[in-house]
Amino acid sequence: MTAQINLKNVSVQFGDNKAVNNVNLKIDKGDIYGVIGFSGAGKSTLVRTINLLQQPSAGSVEVNGDLLFDDGKLKVSKKQLQQKRRKIGMIFQHFNLLNEETVLENVAFSLSHAGLTDNELEKKSLHLLELVGLKDKADFYPAQLSGGQQQRVAIARALANEPDILISDEATSALDPKTTNQILDLLYDLNKKLKLTVVLITHEMEAVKRVANKIAVMENGQIIERGTLREVFLHPQKDLTRQFVGGALQVRHILNNYNFDAIAPDDQLFQLVYSINDVTKSVVADLDVALDTKASILYGNVEVLSGEPIGTLAILLKLDAEKQKQAIKFLENRNVVVTKLDKGVLTND
């Protein structure tokens, strides 16, 4: 399959700082592709090279089969670039709505170049508002809407030019959890209904887990891990990914006040992440029998990831160093991803 978005050896440099460092990224048509990392990782800078709102210092940018940038130069005219950008919608953390215009007028503003009659403009704008569930708010002003409703208007506006790609740059960061889920579910529905490719930039793993099918993890301007959501979730390779994936961030909320000083030298906290489809018995009970351990379960959770139930446990084991190695091997042989938990992992110290 030819990638719809193909970034090759892309770097972005600001003075002495290389915000993006020689990154390759392919995104296929129809993906909901999550790009995740902490603040300053370079994820927003990288994704803004897709529509060349940020021109790379090096590398090439190809979108929808067209080479837009290569070898430090634009490969299309400015007018052509403007046309290409209309096929790449963007939504942001801040909604950037026109406060003195109605919701309908805010959406219609994005179609002002389209040469539509007033009736056509109103009809299309109302259709876009219907797509995002706000047709009944057409005559309202932004100040009369909730934050989630304002973001829906921003999404309708981003869809005005019938884009092939929608970039969401931390678009849910300012919203409460319930509203965040509603916006993510809307993006998922639009992905299915409109065959829209969604690029989701976020520092929140929960957002990626809810809707993405693929993921890239960024740190210090580089992609350190990528793959399908299931692959990365169940088999994280890097320490940062282990912090994001599954339990480390969830467990932190539960155990961040845990008294680590009270743990005996032979005691160790572990996080276990596994597919319930792979683990049909109580893996902790099996471990207790195999190694004569006494595991204490401090936290447990099951969630659905792309239709697959995934379990997370935090357990305390009383084991010496050699038995710890045996326990990890025992669990990993049963397709369980094991991470040692300590104060540094749980607090990002």
Side-chain angles (χ1 to χ4, degrees):
M1 180 185 293
T2 302
Q4 186 174 21
I5 299 168
N6 194 1
L7 308 181
K8 294 181 181 178
N9 305 118
V10 165
S11 293
V12 179
Q13 188 140 352
F14 302 115
D16 295 332
N17 176 40
K18 190 166 277 190
V20 176
N21 187 6
N22 197 36
V23 168
N24 294 286
L25 180 64
K26 290 184 178 181
I27 299 175
D28 294 328
K29 184 172 179 58
D31 278 344
I32 301 181
Y33 203 112
V35 181
I36 190 167
F38 290 123
S39 296
K43 54 190 185 296
S44 291
T45 302
L46 173 68
V47 171
R48 286 170 187 241
T49 66
I50 293 172
N51 57 8
L52 295 175
L53 287 179
Q54 176 61 60
Q55 291 194 12
S57 307
S60 67
V61 176
E62 186 177 310
V63 180
N64 289 327
D66 298 320
L67 183 63
L68 305 183
F69 189 93
D70 190 28
D71 196 25
K73 299 176 184 177
L74 279 174
K75 295 299 181 180
V76 292
S77 68
K78 290 186 178 180
K79 183 176 181 180
Q80 288 172 324
L81 178 59
Q82 187 178 35
Q83 293 170 340
K84 302 290 184 188
R85 280 178 175 161
R86 286 176 184 155
K87 291 299 181 182
I88 306 172
M90 287 196 78
I91 53 173
F92 305 91
Q93 178 179 349
H94 303 293
F95 319 124
N96 300 322
L97 300 180
L98 303 170
N99 291 324
E100 296 181 358
E101 304 286 343
T102 66
V103 165
L104 185 68
E105 289 166 342
N106 266 275
V107 177
F109 182 77
S110 295
L111 291 163
S112 56
H113 67 279
L116 301 176
T117 66
D118 289 345
N119 285 338
E120 290 170 337
L121 193 60
E122 181 177 355
K123 184 178 180 181
K124 183 161 187 177
S125 298
L126 286 171
H127 171 67
L128 291 164
L129 287 172
E130 188 173 18
L131 273 177
V132 301
L134 281 184
K135 188 176 181 180
D136 61 329
K137 306 292 185 185
D139 295 327
F140 282 51
Y141 288 86
Q144 297 174 284
L145 304 180
S146 68
Q149 289 171 331
Q150 290 187 56
Q151 190 60 281
R152 286 173 182 266
V153 177
I155 293 171
R157 188 180 55 189
L159 297 175
N161 292 298
E162 301 177 10
D164 306 304
I165 297 163
L166 181 64
I167 295 173
S168 169
D169 190 358
E170 298 281 9
T172 61
S173 295
L175 305 176
D176 63 79
K178 180 179 178 181
T179 306
T180 290
N181 288 340
Q182 291 171 347
I183 294 299
L184 291 170
D185 290 346
L186 174 60
L187 294 178
Y188 183 85
D189 289 343
L190 292 171
N191 166 262
K192 301 306 177 191
K193 283 180 185 175
L194 305 179
K195 310 300 181 186
L196 191 66
T197 300
V198 178
V199 185
L200 184 69
I201 294 79
T202 183
H203 62 275
E204 299 169 333
M205 189 65 195
E206 291 304 313
V208 172
K209 288 194 294 186
R210 190 171 184 91
V211 296
N213 65 313
K214 294 177 186 173
I215 178 175
V217 182
M218 286 196 72
E219 183 179 34
N220 298 326
Q222 295 183 309
I223 292 177
I224 60 170
E225 196 157 351
R226 74 184 82 208
T228 66
L229 185 59
R230 186 187 193 279
E231 289 168 350
V232 174
F233 192 94
L234 289 180
H235 304 288
Q237 302 299 308
K238 303 291 184 179
D239 288 341
L240 177 64
T241 312
R242 287 173 182 266
Q243 289 185 48
F244 270 118
V245 166
L249 292 184
Q250 291 180 14
V251 170
R252 177 171 28 170
H253 297 301
I254 307 298
L255 301 182
N256 60 0
N257 293 318
Y258 194 85
N259 184 9
F260 285 89
D261 295 333
I263 297 178
D266 288 346
D267 293 356
Q268 177 62 51
L269 276 170
F270 290 94
Q271 170 191 298
L272 314 182
V273 181
Y274 52 91
S275 169
I276 290 178
N277 294 334
D278 292 336
V279 179
T280 55
K281 295 182 180 180
S282 172
V283 69
V284 176
D286 289 348
L287 178 65
D288 282 344
V289 171
L291 296 182
D292 192 25
T293 64
K294 291 186 178 179
S296 300
I297 298 176
L298 305 182
Y299 169 87
N301 184 47
V302 176
E303 58 190 326
V304 178
L305 191 74
S306 297
E308 181 177 8
I310 303 294
T312 300
L313 292 175
I315 64 173
L316 180 66
L317 288 179
K318 298 179 180 295
L319 297 173
D320 59 26
E322 183 57 36
K323 278 283 188 78
Q324 282 186 29
K325 292 178 183 177
Q326 293 177 29
I328 292 171
K329 185 175 181 181
F330 177 91
L331 293 166
E332 289 179 341
N333 285 341
R334 285 154 179 79
N335 297 315
V336 177
V337 179
V338 184
T339 304
K340 279 189 179 183
L341 297 177
D342 54 32
K343 188 174 182 180
V345 170
L346 292 169
T347 64
N348 279 340
D349 289 344

